[in-house]
Amino acid sequence: MDLAVIWFIAISVLWIGYFVLEGFDFGVGTLMPFMGRRDSVDRRVAINSIGPVWDANEVWLITAGGATFAAFPAWYASLFSGFYLPLFVILIALILRGVAFEYRGKRDDPVWRLWWDRAIFFGSAAPALLWGIVFANVVRGVAMDADHIVTASLVDLFNPYALLGGLTTLSLFTLHGAVFLSLKTDGPVRVRARAAALRTACVAVPAAAAFLLWTQLAHGQAWTWPLVALAALALVGGVAAARARREGLAFGLMVATILAAVVTLFGSLFPDVLPSTTDPAFSLTVENASSADYTLTIMTWVAVVFLPLVLLYQGWSYWVFRKRVTGATVTGESVAQRSGA
């Protein structure tokens, strides 16, 4: 297996890590306004459930972007120029979200907190929607000329398949966040999160089923059929476990759902990295979009050294902050804490 293929797989793994970990972050942020009244302790409980880990989860996005730039510069250039506006909105949303977490508790003012709560909601829901639209278009392909310049308009990006992809990621991440909240919190937030999980499942299950089936029939390969089945079974099982109040099992099955779904997308894409709907000969592939072997070799050694360190650190942080968050623990914390409580 050549290094270009290895790095395509590595980038797929980085996106899996990002969507699994940041996915429940987005879900918690999207659900936060519904976890309690304005300026209530319950909203602080929801925020504190992801307070120690949300910024570390975003490292996966930075790493995925950096790896794409170094390993597949042509892919990076076409992707970030052709999808400039959606990616710019995602960037602004993530910035607002990060600032909101930091500044929400800086003033004891209900209006101040209300506006930061809105920023958290927007900064969570917008990327959850737009990432689905972006990745659906990557798998489907976009209008691109022989120089690998994306000629598709913004309207072209909001096609029915992409919109279904956006609805799928938004609803799936919201469900993932609801399951995480029911696992991580206790008291009223846990009760509301359980109810939110069951309500969100009414959208997430049919949307994910339709999107994955459309992906498989239109773009999939023979070996990705088992992944589609695995994603469907894990999602249904996760909802059933959430209904039975088995939060740990439900969260594990949601992780399996997202993992299988992302592998299905990248598997359907391979060996292309950005198909051209103008002419298949204009498509960017793993081979024609990759860097030189020397660059990929250096990147491989860097990844071998530093990736285990990142995994150990992140695993340690989740272990340290593994306890449930309650109203009592939140009210005993400093308002200056990084979680924004």
Side-chain angles (χ1 to χ4, degrees):
M1 186 182 297
D2 64 35
L3 287 174
V5 175
I6 291 174
W7 271 99
F8 178 83
I9 295 172
I11 290 171
S12 304
V13 171
L14 292 172
W15 280 108
I16 289 170
Y18 177 65
F19 285 143
V20 166
L21 297 175
E22 192 78 341
F24 68 73
D25 279 0
F26 289 149
V28 171
T30 302
L31 289 170
M32 193 266 294
F34 308 101
M35 290 297 104
R37 296 189 305 274
R38 184 197 310 179
D39 202 38
S40 68
V41 172
D42 293 339
R43 288 195 181 188
R44 295 170 59 191
V45 169
I47 295 173
N48 277 38
S49 70
I50 59 173
V53 297
W54 68 267
D55 47 357
N57 292 343
E58 291 187 350
V59 171
W60 291 86
L61 173 62
I62 297 170
T63 308
T68 304
F69 173 76
F72 299 99
W75 185 16
Y76 183 94
S78 296
L79 184 65
F80 277 77
S81 60
F83 294 80
Y84 180 82
L85 186 57
L87 293 177
F88 181 73
V89 173
I90 290 173
L91 177 61
I92 294 299
L94 293 177
I95 292 172
L96 282 174
R97 181 170 172 264
V99 172
F101 282 136
E102 299 290 347
Y103 277 80
R104 183 183 186 273
K106 298 299 183 182
R107 288 175 56 182
D108 188 15
D109 182 353
V111 176
W112 170 271
R113 287 182 173 145
L114 173 63
W115 281 104
W116 289 123
D117 286 351
R118 290 171 176 171
I120 291 172
F121 175 81
F122 171 77
S124 301
L129 174 70
L130 291 174
W131 279 128
I133 291 174
V134 168
F135 271 86
N137 276 296
V138 170
V139 173
R140 173 181 178 269
V142 292
M144 185 166 57
D145 62 22
D147 295 322
H148 299 144
I149 297 175
V150 176
T151 57
S153 67
L154 180 62
V155 175
D156 295 333
L157 298 181
F158 290 89
N159 54 79
Y161 175 70
L163 291 174
L164 179 59
L167 176 63
T168 298
T169 51
L170 176 59
S171 59
L172 201 60
F173 290 163
T174 304
L175 175 58
H176 194 30
V179 171
F180 176 80
L181 276 175
S182 66
L183 174 67
K184 184 65 177 175
T185 66
D186 209 346
V189 174
R190 187 181 183 187
V191 174
R192 295 188 186 105
R194 285 172 177 165
L198 298 179
R199 288 195 296 267
T200 306
C202 296
V203 177
V205 172
F211 178 67
L212 288 176
L213 186 60
W214 191 343
T215 299
Q216 180 61 33
L217 293 175
H219 312 287
Q221 304 186 43
W223 67 269
T224 55
W225 271 113
L227 292 169
V228 173
L230 174 61
L233 291 173
L235 180 56
V236 173
V239 174
R243 184 180 180 86
R245 301 186 178 184
R246 299 181 63 184
E247 292 97 349
L249 177 60
F251 186 77
L253 289 170
M254 288 304 304
V255 170
T257 300
I258 295 172
L259 187 153
V262 177
V263 175
T264 299
L265 292 178
F266 277 93
S268 301
L269 181 62
F270 185 82
D272 293 332
V273 292
L274 188 60
S276 171
T277 57
T278 304
D279 186 334
F282 301 159
S283 298
L284 283 169
T285 68
V286 169
E287 295 301 327
N288 68 20
S290 66
S291 296
D293 283 346
Y294 180 73
T295 301
L296 297 177
T297 301
I298 293 176
M299 290 177 60
T300 302
W301 283 110
V302 171
V304 167
V305 173
F306 288 101
L307 183 58
L309 298 177
V310 173
L311 292 174
L312 285 172
Y313 162 75
Q314 195 150 32
W316 174 81
S317 66
Y318 275 91
W319 176 256
V320 169
F321 297 103
R322 65 188 182 277
K323 293 183 178 179
R324 289 185 183 270
V325 181
T326 66
T329 59
V330 166
T331 53
E333 294 172 355
S334 168
V335 295
Q337 205 171 15
R338 288 183 67 260
S339 63

